[in-house]
Amino acid sequence: MELRSHIGALAGEGRLLAGSVTDFAATVPTCPDWTVRDLLRHIGMVHGWARCHVAEARQELITDTSSFETWPEDDDAALVDWYRAQQAALVETLEAADPELDCYSFLPGQRGTRFWARRQAHETAIHRVDAQGVTGAVTATSPEFAADGVDEILHGFFARRSRTVVSDPPRSFGLHADDAGRTWAVTIGAEGVNTVDGDGDGDPDVRVTGSAFDLYLLLWNRRELEGLDVQGDPAELEFWRDTARVKWSQSS
């Protein structure tokens, strides 16, 4: 996906997230330590944090987020307005930024403006799914966007060496997005996760086929295996779900 597509997705996902909020005190099923109120505060803070990296062309990670924790207290209606303002400011900054701007980025691949547009689009989409999960009325993204999200988590987050997502002997799984024409072959070995686009070499321990959106949510631990076409031992994929978790960190 191109930069403009990521910015457009970020804007659209933010509108969906803000519009899905009804019960601020409700527990978020996919993030049970959070209420909807906590979720809005988190994602609004992250938007401000991300925007600052681009707006100021920061070359190092901003580790102190206290200046972005500016949400209104004890006023839920104002909290939604605050979130919308944070999100709009991020979109405006990304739209105005030089596409080739080089600033701090923490995943392999895209840099600067392109990195932050993509990362914040997917950050918003996953938390929008979290918010909609309160009522169960979850809106699917386009297959292209969901497949891009699979790429980001496999070739981005877990292309970095992990101390927790390791296995000896190796484990493997294949993913096939039947609406996007995309396939990924994933091996978890003693050194971490290795992903190859396509079928890879040999047969995986388990192969999962579904929509790109379902696979996207599966990798982000936002849905279970039920309803997907699973060929092989599902326990091999449960290992991923038990160990491969992306957590917010100020030292990404």
Side-chain angles (χ1 to χ4, degrees), residues 107-189:
L107 296 180
Q110 295 177 327
R111 298 281 302 170
T113 306
R114 299 180 194 279
F115 164 80
W116 286 105
R118 184 193 202 193
R119 176 79 289 278
Q120 288 300 290
H122 289 295
E123 176 86 1
T124 309
I126 289 299
H127 285 320
R128 182 269 296 172
V129 169
D130 292 332
Q132 290 185 334
V134 172
T135 62
V138 176
T139 305
T141 68
S142 71
E144 179 188 20
F145 181 78
D148 184 72
V150 173
D151 282 334
E152 189 204 37
I153 195 167
L154 292 177
H155 291 301
F157 281 104
F158 289 100
R160 306 181 296 181
R161 289 299 173 233
S162 169
R163 290 174 292 180
T164 57
V165 193
V166 294
S167 180
D168 188 10
R171 303 166 182 264
S172 62
F173 61 89
L175 303 172
H176 175 59
D178 55 10
D179 59 347
R182 294 288 308 279
T183 304
W184 298 265
V186 182
T187 302
I188 305 172

Side-chain angles (χ1 to χ4, degrees), residues 30 213-215 217-218 220-228 241:
T30 44
F213 184 65
D214 281 331
L215 299 180
L217 298 191
L218 184 73
W220 276 101
N221 288 307
R222 260 57 180 194
R223 69 154 291 154
E224 304 296 328
L225 281 167
E226 284 75 16
L228 299 175
R241 291 167 56 74

Side-chain angles (χ1 to χ4, degrees), residues 5-238:
S5 296
H6 282 129
I7 295 174
L10 166 60
E13 291 293 332
R15 287 192 294 270
L16 282 174
L17 195 161
S20 70
V21 175
T22 55
D23 182 356
F24 292 85
T27 298
V28 179
T30 44
C31 301
D33 291 338
W34 280 354
T35 64
V36 170
R37 187 178 296 112
D38 295 327
L39 187 153
L40 273 179
R41 290 171 173 172
H42 167 78
I43 188 65
M45 178 274 292
V46 170
H47 285 339
W49 173 80
R51 184 189 61 78
C52 195
H53 285 89
V54 177
E56 300 180 7
R58 293 292 189 106
Q59 298 301 307
E60 297 182 353
L61 179 71
I62 300 170
T63 57
D64 181 2
T65 62
S66 58
S67 63
F68 309 111
E69 297 170 3
T70 58
W71 53 77
E73 299 286 352
D74 304 321
D75 187 340
D76 289 335
L79 179 61
V80 175
D81 291 339
W82 171 82
Y83 168 72
R84 287 192 171 111
Q86 294 295 107
Q87 207 253 356
L90 172 60
V91 169
E92 182 179 349
T93 295
L94 292 168
E95 288 177 333
D98 180 352
E100 306 309 321
L101 172 74
D102 186 28
C103 63
Y104 182 84
S105 310
F106 57 82
L107 296 180
Q110 295 177 327
R111 298 281 302 170
T113 306
R114 299 180 194 279
F115 164 80
W116 286 105
R118 184 193 202 193
R119 176 79 289 278
Q120 288 300 290
H122 289 295
E123 176 86 1
T124 309
I126 289 299
H127 285 320
R128 182 269 296 172
V129 169
D130 292 332
Q132 290 185 334
V134 172
T135 62
V138 176
T139 305
T141 68
S142 71
E144 179 188 20
F145 181 78
D148 184 72
V150 173
D151 282 334
E152 189 204 37
I153 195 167
L154 292 177
H155 291 301
F157 281 104
F158 289 100
R160 306 181 296 181
R161 289 299 173 233
S162 169
R163 290 174 292 180
T164 57
V165 193
V166 294
S167 180
D168 188 10
R171 303 166 182 264
S172 62
F173 61 89
L175 303 172
H176 175 59
D178 55 10
D179 59 347
R182 294 288 308 279
T183 304
W184 298 265
V186 182
T187 302
I188 305 172
E191 299 300 317
V193 179
N194 182 63
T195 301
V196 175
D197 290 336
D199 291 327
D201 297 325
D203 293 326
D205 297 323
V206 60
R207 188 185 306 276
V208 181
T209 299
S211 72
F213 184 65
D214 281 331
L215 299 180
Y216 179 46
L217 298 191
L218 184 73
L219 290 178
W220 276 101
N221 288 307
R222 260 57 180 194
R223 69 154 291 154
E224 304 296 328
L225 281 167
E226 284 75 16
L228 299 175
D229 180 5
V230 180
Q231 304 294 323
D233 184 358
E236 297 300 320
L237 193 57
E238 289 300 330

